Amino acid sequence: MGRRTAVLISGSGSNLQALLDATALPGSSAEIVLIVSNRADAFGLERARRAGVPARVIPHRGYPDRASFDAAVDAALRDAGVELVCLAGFMRLLTAPFVEAWRDRMLNIHPSLLPSFRGADAHVQALMAGVRVSGCTVHLVRPEMDTGPILLQGLVPVLPDDTVETLSRRTLEVEHVCYPRALELLASGRVTIAAGLARIDGIAPGRLLVRHPLLDAG
Ligand code: GRF
């Protein structure tokens, strides 16, 4: 049995799917035991049902403030005996007390090469900046949005005619490789934090950088 892991979602849940698929394989150090969505219409809930993993809808509108919403999420995690948390397209800012309660046990995936392009519109920012390479970052969560020790990054080329849709689709391809790999590193106890940076033992450095195949084409 792997470390008991919850995934928090708000939408499609394609990263959730990648995590479900990877943790279902023999030898996984993590096991997904709970899925929490703040939205009842998130497609990720259908993915949870298909995988046979318990899901809870905790609608943020049902709570007077962020602190009481976060307390409800925290209670759901503790009821399920959760040890690790993955934010996967969870579109709510979490309060500092919640983040600190799960310090070094909560991962997030962001669709840019942090620290560039923090926030909800990362792909718009990348296209506006004209960068030739973008990507994704899996990091431990700290109270300030899209900050925290980086475990792994994925590299994706930005092509001349890219739109937010094409760039986000290409970026998701590497996200789905990076996120399960990062969870495995955390769940297997190979991550230590020193001076605000993540140190990862027993893995070749190249495994911490995922390249989209198009980077090396032509
Ligand atoms: C991903 O791009 C992720 O990086 C960002 O939100 C998106 C979620 O997509 N945080 P999905 O719901 O996993 O398909």
Side-chain angles (χ1 to χ4, degrees):
M1 288 288 105
R3 304 285 302 278
R4 296 176 66 80
T5 302
V7 185
L8 274 51
I9 61 165
S10 300
S12 145
S14 69
N15 279 291
L16 163 65
Q17 189 67 57
L19 293 167
L20 285 168
D21 293 347
T23 53
L25 296 174
S28 171
S29 303
E31 177 191 1
I32 313 266
V33 295
L34 179 68
I35 290 153
V36 175
S37 174
N38 66 311
R39 296 181 56 114
D41 61 353
F43 182 68
L45 293 169
E46 174 63 17
R47 299 180 192 273
R49 198 188 59 73
R50 288 181 198 165
V53 175
R56 298 265 308 258
V57 177
I58 305 180
H60 57 275
R61 288 189 207 290
Y63 295 85
D65 50 32
R66 286 188 193 279
S68 53
F69 170 72
D70 286 4
V73 174
D74 191 67
L77 299 177
R78 291 181 195 283
D79 282 353
V82 165
E83 301 168 89
L84 302 175
V85 178
C86 292
L87 306 180
F90 183 68
M91 300 306 284
R92 301 296 300 169
L93 279 178
L94 294 163
T95 57
F98 180 93
V99 173
E100 290 301 345
W102 292 93
R103 189 180 179 90
D104 295 343
R105 296 187 296 152
M106 180 157 62
L107 292 170
N108 180 45
I109 188 159
H110 180 75
S112 78
L113 292 174
L114 291 174
S116 291
F117 314 142
R118 294 162 52 195
D121 60 350
H123 294 306
V124 174
Q125 294 182 59
L127 292 173
M128 301 268 289
V131 293
R132 298 292 184 221
V133 64
S134 188
C136 68
T137 303
V138 185
H139 63 97
L140 286 161
V141 177
R142 293 291 182 261
E144 201 180 338
M145 186 174 55
D146 299 328
T147 68
I150 291 171
L151 269 58
L152 213 112
Q153 289 186 303
L155 298 179
V156 176
V158 181
L159 302 181
D161 295 326
D162 263 343
T163 61
V164 168
E165 287 67 36
T166 58
L167 181 56
S168 66
R169 207 175 313 129
R170 194 176 310 118
T171 305
L172 282 169
E173 293 173 31
V174 293
E175 291 184 42
H176 299 160
V177 178
C178 287
Y179 214 169
R181 195 178 290 179
L183 174 59
E184 176 62 27
L185 293 174
L186 184 65
S188 61
R190 274 175 286 174
V191 179
T192 47
I193 307 300
L197 302 180
R199 184 195 153 84
I200 300 174
D201 294 316
I203 184 161
R207 298 273 297 164
L208 302 177
L209 199 54
V210 172
R211 301 170 68 86
H212 190 279
L214 275 181
L215 270 181
D216 302 306

